[in-house]
Amino acid sequence: MAHDHLIELLDLDAEVLHEYFRDVIGWVGREAAERPHVVDLGAGSGTGSLALARELPDSTITAVDLSPEMLAHLRGRADAAGLGDRIRTVVADLDQPWPDLGPVEVIWAAASMHHMADPATAVASACGALRPGGLLVIAELDSFPHFLTGTANEEVERRGHAEAAKRRHEAGLHMHENWGERMRQAGFTSVTERHFDIDLRPPLPAATTRYAHASLSRMRHGLEERLSARDLAALEQVVAGLATRADLSVRTGRTVWLARR
């Protein structure tokens, strides 16, 4: 069930933030070699793998993830989209020595590198897996989406995000790593960094409500032991009333680094 909720959240993230994804995927497409083999690290529900396969019609994609459930979902999506013959899946723990992925021209890592136990080792492994001239693309979250800015519920959402950030820090996640510097230290050249400020204002499509529901529900249940009873009750009330709201916005930040070996 937990995987189902995360899959829904990842799919909605790509749907609601489609302009950001289109911009980044297009950038990668312009920089990539012809007929590239692309490795999607921490592929999750497959939004990156499918978008890259569409943007680069002569590419082949290897989707790597620790979760067989995620990769099964990805496989189903690829087959349904008619892309199954170009996308293969590999179950692997990327904190261990990487499997032989074959010659690789592009490595795509969207919101996955912060999960690695050792950032320097992860970037060095990516450098070692790429052909000379290959690209490493790291996309990370500067902030998780805020939906209630400017509303009476803004403060409880802000407190929830602050507590969730503390929990991620305690868990050892590398949320604010300087990935550009890590790339340079590993031997990459031509490191380019782009920041994306995403600010979607109401009225927004119905998918935004589902995105807010998935995100705020995950926050509410993930902070059961960390937020006050009052804040938990307030979040529960917000989630219950999302379907009738017309004041939801989406505010978040993403940074993308593109480097060439």
Side-chain angles (χ1 to χ4, degrees), residues 22 58-59 62 78 87-88 113 120 143 160 165 173 235 239-240 248 255:
R22 184 171 62 240
D58 294 324
S59 65
T62 298
I87 297 177
R88 72 176 179 120
M113 292 296 275
S143 62
L173 299 186
L235 278 174
V239 170
L248 296 178
T255 299

Side-chain angles (χ1 to χ4, degrees), residues 20-171:
Y20 155 75
F21 278 97
R22 184 171 62 240
D23 194 352
V24 175
I25 294 289
W27 180 27
V28 176
R30 292 189 297 274
E31 295 289 336
E34 292 184 3
R35 306 179 65 84
H37 173 208
V38 181
V39 171
D40 184 359
L41 292 183
S45 66
T47 55
S49 292
L50 271 66
L52 287 160
R54 293 187 179 106
E55 178 68 25
L56 300 164
D58 294 324
S59 65
T60 55
I61 314 291
T62 298
V64 183
D65 202 278
L66 182 60
S67 167
E69 293 88 352
M70 285 287 192
L71 292 179
H73 174 79
L74 189 159
R75 167 60 52 201
R77 292 183 68 191
D79 290 343
L83 299 169
D85 60 333
R86 292 173 45 215
I87 297 177
R88 72 176 179 120
T89 57
V90 174
V91 177
D93 180 352
L94 294 170
D95 286 326
Q96 302 300 319
W98 289 15
D100 182 6
L101 300 169
V104 181
E105 283 75 35
V106 178
I107 292 179
W108 165 268
S112 59
M113 292 296 275
H114 66 258
H115 289 284
M116 305 297 182
D118 183 342
T121 298
V123 176
S125 296
C127 188
L130 282 165
R131 280 182 163 178
L135 299 176
L136 172 61
V137 185
I138 297 177
E140 283 290 344
L141 295 87
D142 300 328
S143 62
F144 283 76
H146 289 241
F147 301 95
L148 306 172
T149 304
T151 75
N153 307 112
E154 179 176 359
E155 283 304 305
V156 70
E157 182 183 39
R158 183 191 61 77
R159 288 193 293 274
H161 278 295
E163 202 59 45
K166 291 179 187 176
R167 188 182 66 173
R168 287 188 290 271
H169 178 73
E170 292 165 6

